[in-house]
């Protein structure tokens, strides 16, 4: 099994030297494109070496990406380390850590709910508790979780429960006096060379655990390689091999198997995959896929609802091409074609009609918006030769300014995503669909999201229609604004 160097980057190699052809990787990228799967980055490791990597511009290697539930596997890792430090046991009752937040009457099922049950998503709840947790008026998410009914016997029923992972984070903070992020920095992040990780927190300062972690694609790959190496890094044991085996083995049934990678079983915050693989998995296509039989790791960030399609592309194109020995370069042009294909990876801004006579009419006007789900109060656009500035004012009178390029991406920073605690990096552009209809595109380059806003101009009114790329919303919200 290949072992990464201790340099800032993982070691690089050509694919053929590690037993996989450049042509197979070309086929993978072609399949992704033909199936209209929006990837933001990919990195393929074989025998500890990066054999191919790419970012769809304007995404880039230095930017962190929101991991969503891929975060869960890091939380699980923290529990594994805490067990090795004799800070807790998997059979400890969850309520034992939080006597002040426990309900006055503790049901039998709640009393038997253990750390192990949290890890395996076998808490006995029948509904994900995170919805109720987030609604707690006092911000005490632990108390809200413990107040939810545990209707089934813990350990007997799988339910993907974000609240369960939050509780694992809360337990780490309770027993150590520091946050999950602070606990992992010297134990995992620093040893693996993962710099500047960030993690969203609840109102009481506990890292959310089940989501909220942001790191780079190469950081994801490092984490996968660490698990592939069964808990060692730079010849040092960080996590026990027994824990790695237990965490990535099937602990609970998730379905009836078959051809779905969602029905192969669940470990301790890791999903089992077909073909002997397992994965850390986040919504909209954030992947850390570990393939022990092939000594390979695949890290992916993306913005797609078709996550099974991404995994199918891996199984169909990359898996069959992984050979046990280095392979001869049969087509010398393949490496050059792969490099060219990677260099051309991009999410391009729409480019329809460059300008419109309506620009002069609406530039600088402020439009009062009707009540809307986004809680936006006013909207205005100011055009320049090279672009436009959007000014959105919300009901709290906070102004968001976003710079848009004319058919090109321009960078801005504004807090537009409801569940983030810092400004979002946004690449924005605009184009005219017709003489009186403008299209604004906002690409969140540290997240899976892309927002498209259609602005139709009608005399002294505008009609805004907003759509998000990975929403199941069939009809975009329509907001009418009137010039003031």
């Amino acid at each position: 099994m290949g072992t990464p160097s201790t340099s800032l980057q993982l070691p690089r190699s050509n694919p053929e030297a590690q037993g996989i052809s450049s042509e197979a990787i070309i086929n993978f990228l072609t399949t992704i494109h033909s199936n209209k799967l929006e990837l933001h980055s990919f990195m393929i490791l074989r025998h500890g070496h990066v054999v191919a990597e790419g970012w769809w511009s304007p995404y880039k290697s230095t930017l962190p990406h929101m991991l969503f539930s891929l975060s869960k596997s890091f939380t699980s890792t923290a529990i594994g380390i805490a067990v090795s430090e004799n800070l807790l046991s998997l059979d400890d009752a969850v309520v034992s850590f939080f006597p002040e937040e426990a309900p006055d009457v503790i049901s039998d099922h709640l009393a038997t709910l253990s750390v192990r049950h949290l890890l395996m998503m076998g808490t006995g709840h029948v509904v994900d508790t995170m919805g109720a947790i987030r609604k707690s008026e006092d911000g005490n998410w632990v108390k809200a979780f413990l107040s939810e009914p545990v209707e089934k016997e813990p350990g007997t029923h799988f339910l993907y429960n974000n609240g369960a992972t939050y509780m694992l984070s809360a337990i780490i903070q309770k027993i150590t006096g520091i946050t999950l992020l602070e606990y992992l920095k010297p134990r995992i992040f620093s040893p693996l060379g993962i710099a500047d990780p960030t993690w969203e927190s609840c109102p009481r300062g506990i890292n959310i655990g089940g989501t909220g972690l942001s790191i780079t694609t190469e950081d994801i790959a490092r984490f996968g390689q660490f698990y592939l190496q069964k808990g060692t890094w730079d010849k040092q044991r960080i996590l026990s091999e027994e824990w790695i085996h237990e965490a990535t083995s099937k602990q609970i049934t998730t379905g009836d198997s078959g051809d779905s990678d969602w029905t192969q079983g669940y470990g301790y915050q890791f999903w089992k995959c077909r073909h002997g693989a397992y994965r850390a998995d986040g919504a909209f296509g954030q992947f850390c896929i570990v393939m022990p039989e092939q000594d390979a790791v695949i890290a992916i960030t993306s913005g797609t609802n078709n996550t099974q399609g991404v995994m199918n592309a891996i199984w169909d194109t990359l898996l069959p091409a992984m050979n046990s020995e280095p392979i001869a370069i049969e087509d010398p042009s393949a490496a050059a074609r792969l490099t060219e294909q990677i260099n051309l990876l991009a999410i391009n801004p729409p480019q329809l009609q460059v300008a419109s006579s309506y620009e002069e009419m609406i530039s600088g006007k402020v439009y009062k918006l009707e009540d809307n789900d986004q809680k936006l109060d006013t909207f205005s656009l100011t055009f320049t030769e090279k672009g436009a500035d959007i000014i959105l004012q919300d009901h709290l009178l906070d102004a968001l300014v976003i710079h848009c390029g004319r058919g090109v991406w321009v960078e801005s920073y504004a807090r537009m995503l409801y569940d983030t605690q810092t400004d979002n990096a946004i690449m924005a552009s605009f184009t005219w669909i017709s003489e009186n209809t403008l299209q604004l595109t906002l690409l969140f380059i540290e997240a899976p999201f892309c927002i498209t806003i259609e602005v139709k101009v009608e005399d002294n009114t505008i009609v805004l229609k907003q759509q998000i790329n990975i929403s199941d919303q069939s009809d975009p919200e329509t907001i009418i604004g009137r010039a003031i």
Side-chain angles (χ1 to χ4, degrees):
M1 184 180 296
T3 303
S5 70
T6 56
S7 65
L8 293 178
Q9 280 195 324
L10 294 166
R12 266 62 177 173
S13 173
N14 70 67
E16 284 76 12
Q18 306 304 325
I20 183 170
S21 68
S22 297
E23 193 65 45
I25 301 170
I26 291 172
N27 290 341
F28 168 71
L29 293 173
T30 301
T31 300
I32 292 296
H33 177 75
S34 62
N35 289 335
K36 298 180 180 179
L37 300 168
E38 184 185 306
L39 264 58
H40 298 156
S41 71
F42 80 99
M43 185 174 282
I44 302 170
L45 274 69
R46 190 90 204 281
H47 307 319
H49 293 75
V50 178
V51 298
E53 59 191 308
W55 285 260
W56 278 254
S57 177
Y59 292 87
K60 53 187 178 181
S61 62
T62 55
L63 290 174
H65 200 282
M66 293 173 66
L67 300 191
F68 289 85
S69 286
L70 200 159
S71 310
K72 290 179 169 66
S73 302
F74 284 86
T75 304
S76 167
T77 302
I79 295 292
I81 295 172
V83 168
S84 69
E85 294 177 350
N86 296 316
L87 297 176
L88 80 165
S89 123
L90 296 194
D91 295 321
D92 289 342
V94 175
V95 291
S96 69
F97 296 98
F98 308 103
E100 295 180 359
E101 283 85 5
D104 294 335
V105 178
I106 299 175
S107 69
D108 291 343
H109 286 167
L110 178 59
T112 59
L113 177 62
S114 68
V115 175
R116 189 187 310 275
H117 297 138
L118 297 177
L119 284 165
M120 65 193 287
M121 295 295 187
T123 61
H125 295 95
V126 296
V127 177
D128 185 348
T129 56
M130 187 53 79
I133 285 174
R134 286 186 178 274
K135 293 176 183 176
S136 59
E137 294 183 359
D138 61 357
N140 191 333
W141 288 13
V142 169
K143 184 177 181 180
F145 176 90
L146 296 175
S147 299
E148 287 297 293
V150 183
E151 298 185 17
K152 295 181 179 291
E153 181 183 350
T156 64
H157 171 72
F158 173 80
L159 174 78
Y160 199 67
N161 187 348
N162 286 284
T165 320
Y166 170 78
M167 292 300 291
L168 294 172
S169 175
I171 288 170
I172 289 291
Q173 187 158 332
K174 183 73 172 182
I175 61 179
T176 65
I178 56 177
T179 66
L180 174 64
L181 179 61
E182 291 167 335
Y183 181 72
L184 283 177
K185 275 184 178 179
R187 291 167 174 83
I188 287 293
F189 293 128
S190 293
L192 269 58
I194 298 175
D196 304 319
T198 60
W199 212 316
E200 302 289 340
S201 300
C202 78
R204 297 202 171 193
I206 300 170
N207 294 142
I208 295 174
T211 185
L213 178 62
S214 291
I215 55 177
T216 67
T217 307
E218 185 155 349
D219 294 337
I220 298 170
R222 290 171 184 272
F223 182 67
Q225 185 66 30
F226 166 69
Y227 263 78
L228 183 62
Q229 293 169 187
K230 299 181 179 179
T232 63
W233 194 266
D234 192 23
K235 301 179 181 178
Q236 298 295 316
R237 169 67 59 188
I238 296 175
L239 191 58
S240 74
E241 186 171 343
E242 292 77 16
W243 176 267
I244 297 283
H245 174 74
E246 195 171 341
T248 61
S249 296
K250 180 179 176 179
Q251 298 293 336
I252 194 167
T253 299
T254 57
D256 58 359
S257 297
D259 293 332
S260 169
D261 283 292
W262 302 100
T263 59
Q264 307 302 312
Y266 196 75
Y268 293 159
Q269 311 285 293
F270 284 89
W271 288 92
K272 295 294 292 180
C273 299
R274 291 174 290 164
H275 311 292
Y278 60 87
R279 71 187 188 276
D281 181 303
F284 315 121
Q286 324 315 314
F287 287 117
C288 179
I289 298 176
V290 181
M291 304 165 67
E293 294 175 13
Q294 290 74 31
D295 194 22
V297 173
I298 299 175
I300 287 173
T301 62
S302 59
T304 178
N305 287 320
N306 186 6
T307 54
Q308 183 64 65
V310 176
M311 287 185 279
N312 289 344
I314 293 169
W315 309 142
D316 293 345
T317 63
L318 297 178
L319 176 65
M322 291 184 179
N323 298 277
S324 58
E325 301 293 336
I327 58 176
I329 300 176
E330 297 179 356
D331 181 1
S333 69
R337 287 188 286 112
L338 175 58
T339 298
E340 180 183 15
Q341 190 170 9
I342 289 174
N343 289 339
L344 292 174
L345 295 176
I347 298 175
N348 296 312
Q351 296 175 328
L352 301 171
Q353 185 175 317
V354 176
S356 165
S357 59
Y358 277 72
E359 289 184 22
E360 184 176 353
M361 183 178 77
I362 66 173
S363 186
K365 278 188 178 180
V366 177
Y367 292 87
K368 174 71 174 177
L369 303 178
E370 294 182 347
D371 290 344
N372 58 85
D373 294 341
Q374 312 302 316
K375 295 183 171 56
L376 296 174
D377 188 56
T378 63
F379 173 92
S380 68
L381 272 169
T382 301
F383 291 92
T384 65
E385 181 180 343
K386 292 186 177 180
D389 289 340
I390 309 170
I391 301 178
L392 296 166
Q393 189 167 289
D394 63 21
H395 68 297
L396 299 175
L397 303 182
D398 292 327
L400 303 175
V401 180
I402 303 166
H403 309 294
C404 299
R406 194 180 290 272
V408 298
W409 296 121
V410 172
E411 190 172 40
S412 294
Y413 289 87
R415 192 174 306 181
M416 289 195 68
L417 300 179
Y418 74 93
D419 57 351
T420 58
Q421 296 162 352
T422 57
D423 286 349
N424 310 121
I426 304 168
M427 300 298 281
S429 72
F430 77 90
T431 188
W432 288 89
I433 300 174
S434 63
E435 194 65 15
N436 74 328
T437 305
L438 177 72
Q439 179 177 304
L440 307 166
T441 304
L442 280 58
L443 192 65
F444 293 78
I445 54 172
E446 296 178 344
F449 306 115
C450 180
I451 294 176
T452 302
I453 304 172
E454 181 183 292
V455 184
K456 187 173 184 180
V457 183
E458 299 174 348
D459 297 325
N460 281 325
T461 67
I462 55 170
V463 179
L464 304 180
K465 291 184 178 181
Q466 176 177 301
Q467 191 86 36
I468 191 165
N469 59 328
I470 46 183
S471 171
D472 56 4
Q473 178 184 13
S474 56
D475 296 316
E477 181 183 10
T478 299
I479 306 172
I480 296 174
R482 292 177 174 81
I484 56 176

